[in-house]
Amino acid sequence: LFDAASGEVLQLNRPDPDSVSMGARIEGVMRALHFADFGSWALRWVYFASGLLGTLMMVAGTLLFSIKRRIKGQHEFGAATRRFYHCVEALNVACSVGIGLACCAYFYANRLLPLQLPDRANWEIRCFLLIWLATLLHALSRPRRAWAEQLGLAALLCLCLPLLNYWTTGQNLWRYAAAGDWQRAGVEAVALGCGVLLAGVLVKLQRRHQRQGLRP
């Protein structure tokens, strides 16, 4: 509180160091919503499945947009139209398959980076971001092969992740399940499931290209 005439400080109320700020409260709410800390594991699996469905919906929308504009393009950007949609398609690859590759890279970094590395946790995040950027550059440089190559690499990384975990820690899916550690067992099972799913998508993509007489 200040004096209206002189500006002199009349009263000063400092924040209670034990109180939680409004920003921290908002962060706590968002964190609880993101990790579903308030729910059971069944609810978290529902969150996970809902996230996958939402991701598939967005990927399908962006792909349909690119295909439609490629067929019915009206040169709305003049001479830069082709380059513009080339960038859009590269972003589609990076934001769908590329982010999966980056997530796999994060797990690989967690197992392969030296334990004594300073600021190790932040280097794991940097590996995620650098690999994600690399997928975009790859999609820009190899537009015809980007989907197939990144799908194949993502499938390989997912399938090999349990092997990496066994090589670095000596643990595997069966040991986690036997010990009742369903959280780590779930990570391994989901990695294997995603690897099989991505491999199946890659096979279908290659068969479609072969029927159309195109290179995969």
Side-chain angles (χ1 to χ4, degrees):
L1 299 178
F2 299 91
D3 184 272
S6 65
E8 180 184 359
V9 178
L10 300 178
Q11 183 179 352
L12 178 62
N13 293 328
R14 298 186 179 277
D16 184 359
D18 297 328
S19 65
V20 181
S21 65
M22 181 59 67
R25 291 178 182 177
I26 295 174
E27 190 273 340
V29 171
M30 298 304 296
R31 181 181 179 86
L33 289 174
H34 181 73
F35 292 103
D37 292 333
F38 55 87
S40 62
W41 276 108
L43 181 61
R44 294 181 184 183
W45 279 110
V46 171
Y47 259 51
F48 178 71
S50 300
L52 287 180
L53 291 175
T55 301
L56 289 174
M57 178 183 66
M58 290 185 287
V59 170
T62 56
L63 289 178
L64 290 174
F65 169 80
S66 299
I67 294 172
K68 178 181 177 181
R69 299 312 303 171
R70 188 192 308 162
I71 296 174
K72 300 181 179 181
Q74 299 176 353
H75 300 285
E76 56 266 46
F77 299 103
T81 300
R82 184 176 180 181
R83 292 193 299 272
F84 173 79
Y85 286 114
H86 171 63
C87 292
V88 169
E89 292 177 357
L91 287 169
N92 286 343
V93 177
C95 291
S96 53
V97 184
I99 195 169
L101 272 171
C103 289
C104 288
Y106 177 85
F107 286 112
Y108 275 73
N110 178 264
R111 287 290 180 258
L112 295 177
L113 289 176
L115 294 176
Q116 299 79 15
L117 180 67
D119 202 23
R120 187 178 188 272
N122 284 330
W123 271 110
E124 294 176 2
I125 299 174
R126 293 184 186 112
C127 288
F128 169 85
L129 296 173
L130 290 173
I131 295 298
W132 197 8
L133 176 61
T135 62
L136 175 60
L137 298 178
H138 171 262
L140 288 170
S141 61
R142 294 177 64 83
R144 287 185 172 272
R145 302 296 301 273
W147 281 104
E149 290 176 351
Q150 293 197 24
L151 279 171
L153 181 57
L156 180 64
L157 291 179
C158 286
L159 293 173
C160 291
L161 186 59
L163 296 177
L164 174 67
N165 185 52
Y166 179 74
W167 177 56
T168 55
T169 67
Q171 299 294 324
N172 55 47
L173 174 62
W174 313 116
R175 290 187 179 181
Y176 289 140
D181 191 348
W182 298 111
Q183 183 174 359
R184 290 183 173 87
V187 173
E188 300 245 315
V190 169
L192 291 173
C194 288
V196 172
L197 179 63
L198 291 171
V201 173
L202 176 60
V203 170
K204 288 187 177 182
L205 180 64
Q206 290 178 331
R207 288 177 178 174
R208 190 191 70 176
H209 281 293
Q210 290 173 357
R211 287 197 302 267
Q212 295 175 351
L214 302 175
R215 295 177 61 189

